Amino acid sequence: MTLFDGITARLVETDRLGVNILERDHDDPATPADRTVVLIHGNVSSSLFWQELMEDLPSDLRVIAIDLRGFGGSEHLPVDATRGLRDFSDDVHATLTTLGIDGPHLVGWSMGGGVAMQYAIDHPVRSLTLQAPVSPYGFGGTRRDGSRLTNDDAGCGGGGANPDFVQRLTDGDTSADAPTSPRSVLRSSYVNPDYATEHEDVWVASMLTTSTAEGNYPGDSAASEHWPGFAAGTRGVLNTMAPRYFNASSIVDLDPKPPVLWVRGTADAIVSDASFFDLNHLGALGVIPGWPGEEVAPAQPMISQTRDVLDTYRERGGDVTELVMEGVGHSPHLERPAEFRRALLTRIGYIGLAQHPAPPTEAIIISSSD
């Protein structure tokens, strides 16, 4: 019931693990890589979230959505967070190698945007589309220039997960009875509250595929002498984005540089300069007591960091377009599917700007090197 018409799932056995992928029934496996689009989901989700986009993309493209380890139908192997997001990106590479795909167009959402950036650092890609991506400096615990606030990344990683949310994932809770239920989190944080869809049960089912076994979501933590009293651990999903383990700012040094599309919504509750998932921001709001102040524990300016890195990417010869969607939350591809589809097709060179209408006023191209 979670697969849309024309979408099929299969397990790809790689030399690292078994990886579940979604494909379209009519796609030709012989399609060249320059007409192949690979979709990478974010945290607490799976490839199921991509199905509307998969249905809407032109039939002469090959489109593949990959489940990261510990999500969807892929094996639930533990995640070594000390490698940053490389366990995930190496799994993606192993999958594409097994499928005989070299240098596709890569699309990453949220944490998947960080996976896509890491993949591009390690392997050639034809283009890079980053939707509401994690900052190139990780999640939490950094100043605008990427420098770390503490030497142990206090307030970052697995210790920051809400234990009731984790328990409800484990229990398979499909209700909206509490603000920490997956369905409630979807409505409040993944999308703008005005978003409505007939597929909500599918999106919730996708969230509930998240493994909460040891070494998967959320991950371990360590005691810290710094506020709020814990620091990033070494295993599990949330620790992969701690700044001591993940830093993709070296993307500015790529040669050649794949063209980049950065898509984001102005109402994103997760990735912003004032994220409601950043404990330092919650401390400043008084939600978490004992906050030591702006000088010691400032909120991470995630959007500003990404723009700074991509501005440098552009200055060093890269082609970057930033597309901002007014009033959109963390999931532009769900909330404004036609606009996201148009921007993606333009970015991968399938259509040119002259061949397609300009984005509506709600979707504004901030900057472009085209």
Side-chain angles (χ1 to χ4, degrees), residues 34 103-108 116-117 120 124-130 251 254-263 310 313-314 317-322 343-350 367-370:
D34 63 358
H105 299 282
L106 214 55
V107 180
M117 284 186 272
V125 298
R126 280 174 170 76
S127 72
L128 198 58
T129 295
L130 307 174
I251 195 170
L254 289 180
D255 185 20
K257 290 178 168 59
V260 174
L261 169 65
W262 175 26
V263 183
L310 292 181
Y313 189 91
R314 182 186 297 106
D319 179 355
V320 179
T321 297
E322 178 185 354
L344 172 61
L345 291 176
T346 301
R347 180 73 292 173
I348 70 175
Y350 189 87
S367 55
S368 177
S369 319
D370 291 338

Short mmCIF file of all heavy atoms in Angstrom, two decimals, residues 34 103-108 116-117 120 124-130 251 254-263 310 313-314 317-322 343-350 367-370:
data_model
loop_
_atom_site.label_atom_id
_atom_site.label_comp_id
_atom_site.label_asym_id
_atom_site.label_seq_id
_atom_site.Cartn_x
_atom_site.Cartn_y
_atom_site.Cartn_z
N ASP A 34 24.13 10.35 -17.74
CA ASP A 34 23.80 11.77 -17.85
C ASP A 34 22.30 12.01 -17.94
O ASP A 34 21.85 13.16 -17.92
CB ASP A 34 24.53 12.42 -19.02
CG ASP A 34 24.14 11.85 -20.38
OD1 ASP A 34 23.32 10.90 -20.41
OD2 ASP A 34 24.65 12.35 -21.40
N GLY A 103 28.61 8.60 -12.15
CA GLY A 103 28.43 10.04 -12.34
C GLY A 103 27.02 10.46 -12.70
O GLY A 103 26.82 11.16 -13.70
N PRO A 104 26.02 10.12 -11.89
CA PRO A 104 24.64 10.55 -12.19
C PRO A 104 24.37 11.97 -11.70
O PRO A 104 25.24 12.63 -11.13
CB PRO A 104 23.81 9.54 -11.38
CG PRO A 104 24.66 9.33 -10.15
CD PRO A 104 26.09 9.36 -10.64
N HIS A 105 23.16 12.43 -11.91
CA HIS A 105 22.66 13.64 -11.26
C HIS A 105 22.19 13.23 -9.87
O HIS A 105 21.38 12.31 -9.72
CB HIS A 105 21.51 14.25 -12.06
CG HIS A 105 21.88 14.65 -13.44
ND1 HIS A 105 22.58 15.81 -13.71
CD2 HIS A 105 21.67 14.05 -14.65
CE1 HIS A 105 22.77 15.92 -15.02
NE2 HIS A 105 22.23 14.86 -15.61
N LEU A 106 22.67 13.91 -8.85
CA LEU A 106 22.40 13.53 -7.47
C LEU A 106 21.50 14.57 -6.81
O LEU A 106 21.75 15.77 -6.92
CB LEU A 106 23.72 13.42 -6.70
CG LEU A 106 23.85 12.36 -5.61
CD1 LEU A 106 23.53 10.97 -6.15
CD2 LEU A 106 25.26 12.38 -5.04
N VAL A 107 20.46 14.09 -6.14
CA VAL A 107 19.53 14.95 -5.42
C VAL A 107 19.50 14.50 -3.96
O VAL A 107 19.22 13.33 -3.67
CB VAL A 107 18.10 14.87 -6.01
CG1 VAL A 107 17.15 15.80 -5.24
CG2 VAL A 107 18.11 15.22 -7.49
N GLY A 108 19.80 15.41 -3.03
CA GLY A 108 19.81 15.07 -1.61
C GLY A 108 18.93 16.00 -0.81
O GLY A 108 18.94 17.22 -1.02
N ALA A 116 24.88 13.74 -0.16
CA ALA A 116 25.17 14.09 -1.55
C ALA A 116 26.44 14.93 -1.66
O ALA A 116 27.26 14.74 -2.57
CB ALA A 116 23.98 14.84 -2.16
N MET A 117 26.62 15.89 -0.75
CA MET A 117 27.85 16.68 -0.76
C MET A 117 29.07 15.80 -0.52
O MET A 117 30.09 15.95 -1.21
CB MET A 117 27.77 17.79 0.30
CG MET A 117 26.90 18.97 -0.09
SD MET A 117 26.98 20.34 1.10
CE MET A 117 25.70 19.86 2.27
N ALA A 120 29.83 13.84 -3.62
CA ALA A 120 30.44 14.66 -4.66
C ALA A 120 31.91 14.95 -4.38
O ALA A 120 32.71 15.12 -5.30
CB ALA A 120 29.66 15.96 -4.83
N PRO A 124 32.77 11.56 -8.82
CA PRO A 124 32.20 12.51 -9.79
C PRO A 124 30.68 12.43 -9.83
O PRO A 124 30.09 11.34 -9.72
CB PRO A 124 32.80 12.05 -11.12
CG PRO A 124 33.99 11.21 -10.76
CD PRO A 124 33.66 10.57 -9.45
N VAL A 125 30.02 13.58 -9.98
CA VAL A 125 28.59 13.65 -10.25
C VAL A 125 28.37 14.69 -11.34
O VAL A 125 29.19 15.58 -11.54
CB VAL A 125 27.77 14.02 -8.99
CG1 VAL A 125 27.94 12.98 -7.90
CG2 VAL A 125 28.14 15.40 -8.47
N ARG A 126 27.26 14.58 -12.05
CA ARG A 126 26.99 15.51 -13.14
C ARG A 126 26.34 16.79 -12.66
O ARG A 126 26.54 17.85 -13.24
CB ARG A 126 26.13 14.82 -14.21
CG ARG A 126 26.98 13.93 -15.12
CD ARG A 126 26.16 13.13 -16.09
NE ARG A 126 27.03 12.50 -17.08
CZ ARG A 126 27.78 11.43 -16.86
NH1 ARG A 126 27.76 10.86 -15.67
NH2 ARG A 126 28.56 10.92 -17.79
N SER A 127 25.54 16.68 -11.63
CA SER A 127 24.96 17.87 -11.00
C SER A 127 24.59 17.51 -9.58
O SER A 127 24.48 16.32 -9.22
CB SER A 127 23.74 18.38 -11.77
OG SER A 127 22.63 17.51 -11.59
N LEU A 128 24.37 18.54 -8.78
CA LEU A 128 24.09 18.35 -7.36
C LEU A 128 22.90 19.24 -6.99
O LEU A 128 22.99 20.46 -7.10
CB LEU A 128 25.32 18.74 -6.55
CG LEU A 128 25.46 18.27 -5.11
CD1 LEU A 128 25.40 16.76 -5.02
CD2 LEU A 128 26.77 18.78 -4.53
N THR A 129 21.79 18.62 -6.61
CA THR A 129 20.63 19.36 -6.15
C THR A 129 20.48 19.14 -4.65
O THR A 129 20.36 17.99 -4.20
CB THR A 129 19.35 18.93 -6.89
OG1 THR A 129 19.47 19.28 -8.28
CG2 THR A 129 18.13 19.62 -6.31
N LEU A 130 20.52 20.22 -3.89
CA LEU A 130 20.48 20.16 -2.43
C LEU A 130 19.17 20.79 -1.96
O LEU A 130 18.98 21.99 -2.11
CB LEU A 130 21.67 20.92 -1.84
CG LEU A 130 23.05 20.50 -2.35
CD1 LEU A 130 24.13 21.42 -1.79
CD2 LEU A 130 23.34 19.04 -1.99
N ILE A 251 33.99 21.09 -0.52
CA ILE A 251 33.33 21.00 -1.82
C ILE A 251 33.75 22.17 -2.72
O ILE A 251 33.73 22.07 -3.95
CB ILE A 251 31.80 20.96 -1.63
CG1 ILE A 251 31.12 20.50 -2.92
CG2 ILE A 251 31.25 22.30 -1.18
CD1 ILE A 251 29.65 20.21 -2.74
N LEU A 254 36.42 21.32 -5.41
CA LEU A 254 36.21 20.32 -6.45
C LEU A 254 36.66 20.85 -7.81
O LEU A 254 36.47 22.01 -8.14
CB LEU A 254 34.73 19.94 -6.53
CG LEU A 254 34.16 19.10 -5.39
CD1 LEU A 254 32.69 18.81 -5.64
CD2 LEU A 254 34.95 17.82 -5.22
N ASP A 255 37.23 19.96 -8.61
CA ASP A 255 37.66 20.29 -9.96
C ASP A 255 37.55 19.01 -10.80
O ASP A 255 38.33 18.08 -10.60
CB ASP A 255 39.09 20.82 -9.96
CG ASP A 255 39.52 21.29 -11.35
OD1 ASP A 255 38.63 21.55 -12.19
OD2 ASP A 255 40.74 21.38 -11.58
N PRO A 256 36.60 18.97 -11.71
CA PRO A 256 35.64 20.02 -12.08
C PRO A 256 34.52 20.14 -11.04
O PRO A 256 34.32 19.24 -10.22
CB PRO A 256 35.10 19.54 -13.42
CG PRO A 256 35.19 18.05 -13.33
CD PRO A 256 36.45 17.77 -12.56
N LYS A 257 33.82 21.25 -11.11
CA LYS A 257 32.73 21.51 -10.17
C LYS A 257 31.38 21.21 -10.84
O LYS A 257 31.04 21.85 -11.83
CB LYS A 257 32.76 22.98 -9.72
CG LYS A 257 33.93 23.32 -8.80
CD LYS A 257 33.91 24.80 -8.44
CE LYS A 257 34.88 25.10 -7.31
NZ LYS A 257 36.26 24.74 -7.65
N PRO A 258 30.61 20.27 -10.30
CA PRO A 258 29.28 20.04 -10.86
C PRO A 258 28.37 21.23 -10.58
O PRO A 258 28.51 21.88 -9.54
CB PRO A 258 28.80 18.80 -10.10
CG PRO A 258 29.54 18.83 -8.80
CD PRO A 258 30.89 19.40 -9.13
N PRO A 259 27.46 21.55 -11.48
CA PRO A 259 26.51 22.63 -11.21
C PRO A 259 25.62 22.27 -10.01
O PRO A 259 25.25 21.11 -9.81
CB PRO A 259 25.70 22.73 -12.50
CG PRO A 259 25.89 21.42 -13.19
CD PRO A 259 27.24 20.93 -12.80
N VAL A 260 25.28 23.28 -9.21
CA VAL A 260 24.55 23.07 -7.96
C VAL A 260 23.23 23.84 -7.99
O VAL A 260 23.18 25.00 -8.41
CB VAL A 260 25.39 23.54 -6.76
CG1 VAL A 260 24.57 23.47 -5.46
CG2 VAL A 260 26.66 22.70 -6.62
N LEU A 261 22.17 23.17 -7.54
CA LEU A 261 20.89 23.82 -7.27
C LEU A 261 20.61 23.67 -5.78
O LEU A 261 20.60 22.56 -5.25
CB LEU A 261 19.77 23.15 -8.08
CG LEU A 261 18.34 23.55 -7.71
CD1 LEU A 261 18.08 25.03 -8.00
CD2 LEU A 261 17.32 22.66 -8.44
N TRP A 262 20.40 24.80 -5.11
CA TRP A 262 20.05 24.81 -3.68
C TRP A 262 18.62 25.28 -3.55
O TRP A 262 18.29 26.42 -3.91
CB TRP A 262 21.01 25.73 -2.93
CG TRP A 262 20.72 25.94 -1.47
CD1 TRP A 262 20.06 25.09 -0.62
CD2 TRP A 262 21.09 27.08 -0.69
NE1 TRP A 262 19.99 25.63 0.65
CE2 TRP A 262 20.61 26.85 0.63
CE3 TRP A 262 21.77 28.26 -0.96
CZ2 TRP A 262 20.80 27.77 1.66
CZ3 TRP A 262 21.96 29.17 0.06
CH2 TRP A 262 21.49 28.93 1.35
N VAL A 263 17.75 24.42 -3.06
CA VAL A 263 16.33 24.73 -2.91
C VAL A 263 15.98 24.72 -1.43
O VAL A 263 16.32 23.78 -0.71
CB VAL A 263 15.45 23.69 -3.64
CG1 VAL A 263 13.97 24.09 -3.53
CG2 VAL A 263 15.86 23.57 -5.10
N LEU A 310 28.58 28.11 -0.66
CA LEU A 310 28.21 28.09 -2.07
C LEU A 310 28.63 29.37 -2.79
O LEU A 310 28.92 29.35 -3.99
CB LEU A 310 26.71 27.84 -2.22
CG LEU A 310 26.25 26.44 -1.80
CD1 LEU A 310 24.76 26.28 -2.02
CD2 LEU A 310 27.01 25.34 -2.56
N TYR A 313 32.08 28.63 -3.63
CA TYR A 313 32.03 27.66 -4.73
C TYR A 313 31.87 28.40 -6.07
O TYR A 313 32.56 28.12 -7.05
CB TYR A 313 30.85 26.72 -4.49
CG TYR A 313 30.74 25.52 -5.40
CD1 TYR A 313 31.34 24.31 -5.05
CD2 TYR A 313 29.99 25.57 -6.58
CE1 TYR A 313 31.20 23.20 -5.86
CE2 TYR A 313 29.86 24.46 -7.39
CZ TYR A 313 30.46 23.26 -7.02
OH TYR A 313 30.33 22.15 -7.82
N ARG A 314 30.97 29.37 -6.07
CA ARG A 314 30.73 30.17 -7.27
C ARG A 314 31.95 31.02 -7.62
O ARG A 314 32.36 31.11 -8.79
CB ARG A 314 29.51 31.05 -7.08
CG ARG A 314 29.15 31.90 -8.29
CD ARG A 314 28.01 32.87 -8.00
NE ARG A 314 26.77 32.18 -7.65
CZ ARG A 314 26.27 32.11 -6.43
NH1 ARG A 314 26.90 32.69 -5.42
NH2 ARG A 314 25.14 31.49 -6.21
N GLY A 317 34.54 29.37 -9.59
CA GLY A 317 34.20 28.88 -10.92
C GLY A 317 32.99 27.98 -11.00
O GLY A 317 32.63 27.54 -12.09
N GLY A 318 32.34 27.69 -9.87
CA GLY A 318 31.18 26.81 -9.88
C GLY A 318 29.91 27.53 -10.31
O GLY A 318 29.80 28.75 -10.21
N ASP A 319 28.95 26.76 -10.78
CA ASP A 319 27.66 27.27 -11.23
C ASP A 319 26.64 26.94 -10.15
O ASP A 319 26.38 25.76 -9.87
CB ASP A 319 27.29 26.59 -12.56
CG ASP A 319 25.95 27.02 -13.11
OD1 ASP A 319 25.23 27.77 -12.42
OD2 ASP A 319 25.61 26.57 -14.22
N VAL A 320 26.07 27.96 -9.50
CA VAL A 320 25.15 27.77 -8.37
C VAL A 320 23.88 28.56 -8.58
O VAL A 320 23.93 29.74 -8.95
CB VAL A 320 25.81 28.21 -7.04
CG1 VAL A 320 24.83 28.02 -5.88
CG2 VAL A 320 27.10 27.45 -6.77
N THR A 321 22.75 27.91 -8.33
CA THR A 321 21.46 28.59 -8.29
C THR A 321 20.82 28.34 -6.94
O THR A 321 20.76 27.19 -6.48
CB THR A 321 20.52 28.09 -9.41
OG1 THR A 321 21.08 28.38 -10.68
CG2 THR A 321 19.15 28.73 -9.29
N GLU A 322 20.35 29.40 -6.30
CA GLU A 322 19.61 29.29 -5.04
C GLU A 322 18.16 29.61 -5.31
O GLU A 322 17.82 30.70 -5.79
CB GLU A 322 20.18 30.24 -3.98
CG GLU A 322 19.40 30.19 -2.67
CD GLU A 322 19.88 31.22 -1.66
OE1 GLU A 322 20.88 31.90 -1.95
OE2 GLU A 322 19.24 31.35 -0.60
N ALA A 343 12.67 23.29 -11.52
CA ALA A 343 14.03 23.71 -11.17
C ALA A 343 15.02 22.57 -11.35
O ALA A 343 16.14 22.77 -11.85
CB ALA A 343 14.06 24.21 -9.73
N LEU A 344 14.62 21.36 -10.95
CA LEU A 344 15.51 20.20 -11.10
C LEU A 344 15.78 19.91 -12.57
O LEU A 344 16.94 19.70 -12.97
CB LEU A 344 14.88 18.98 -10.42
CG LEU A 344 15.60 17.64 -10.65
CD1 LEU A 344 17.03 17.70 -10.11
CD2 LEU A 344 14.81 16.51 -9.99
N LEU A 345 14.74 19.91 -13.39
CA LEU A 345 14.93 19.62 -14.81
C LEU A 345 15.81 20.67 -15.48
O LEU A 345 16.61 20.35 -16.36
CB LEU A 345 13.58 19.53 -15.51
CG LEU A 345 12.73 18.31 -15.14
CD1 LEU A 345 11.37 18.38 -15.83
CD2 LEU A 345 13.44 17.01 -15.49
N THR A 346 15.67 21.91 -15.06
CA THR A 346 16.54 22.96 -15.60
C THR A 346 17.98 22.74 -15.18
O THR A 346 18.92 22.86 -15.97
CB THR A 346 16.06 24.34 -15.13
OG1 THR A 346 14.71 24.54 -15.56
CG2 THR A 346 16.93 25.44 -15.69
N ARG A 347 18.17 22.36 -13.92
CA ARG A 347 19.52 22.17 -13.39
C ARG A 347 20.24 21.02 -14.08
O ARG A 347 21.45 21.11 -14.35
CB ARG A 347 19.44 21.91 -11.88
CG ARG A 347 20.78 21.68 -11.20
CD ARG A 347 21.62 22.96 -11.05
NE ARG A 347 22.10 23.52 -12.31
CZ ARG A 347 22.73 24.68 -12.41
NH1 ARG A 347 22.94 25.42 -11.34
NH2 ARG A 347 23.14 25.12 -13.57
N ILE A 348 19.53 19.93 -14.37
CA ILE A 348 20.21 18.78 -14.98
C ILE A 348 20.34 18.94 -16.49
O ILE A 348 20.89 18.07 -17.17
CB ILE A 348 19.51 17.45 -14.65
CG1 ILE A 348 18.15 17.35 -15.35
CG2 ILE A 348 19.37 17.28 -13.14
CD1 ILE A 348 17.46 16.00 -15.14
N GLY A 349 19.83 20.09 -17.02
CA GLY A 349 19.98 20.36 -18.44
C GLY A 349 18.91 19.73 -19.30
O GLY A 349 19.03 19.70 -20.53
N TYR A 350 17.84 19.22 -18.67
CA TYR A 350 16.77 18.60 -19.46
C TYR A 350 15.97 19.65 -20.20
O TYR A 350 15.52 19.45 -21.32
CB TYR A 350 15.86 17.78 -18.54
CG TYR A 350 14.86 16.92 -19.29
CD1 TYR A 350 15.21 15.65 -19.72
CD2 TYR A 350 13.59 17.39 -19.57
CE1 TYR A 350 14.30 14.85 -20.42
CE2 TYR A 350 12.67 16.61 -20.25
CZ TYR A 350 13.04 15.35 -20.67
OH TYR A 350 12.13 14.57 -21.36
N SER A 367 20.04 33.72 -6.79
CA SER A 367 21.30 33.95 -7.48
C SER A 367 21.59 32.79 -8.39
O SER A 367 21.23 31.66 -8.12
CB SER A 367 22.45 34.11 -6.47
OG SER A 367 22.52 33.00 -5.60
N SER A 368 22.22 33.08 -9.49
CA SER A 368 22.55 32.04 -10.45
C SER A 368 23.78 32.42 -11.22
O SER A 368 24.02 33.58 -11.51
CB SER A 368 21.38 31.81 -11.43
OG SER A 368 21.74 30.85 -12.40
N SER A 369 24.59 31.41 -11.53
CA SER A 369 25.79 31.65 -12.33
C SER A 369 25.56 31.33 -13.79
O SER A 369 26.47 31.34 -14.58
CB SER A 369 26.95 30.79 -11.81
OG SER A 369 26.99 30.75 -10.42
N ASP A 370 24.28 30.95 -14.13
CA ASP A 370 24.02 30.57 -15.52
C ASP A 370 24.26 31.75 -16.46
O ASP A 370 23.98 32.88 -16.11
CB ASP A 370 22.56 30.12 -15.66
CG ASP A 370 22.33 28.78 -14.93
OD1 ASP A 370 23.31 28.08 -14.73
OD2 ASP A 370 21.16 28.49 -14.60
#
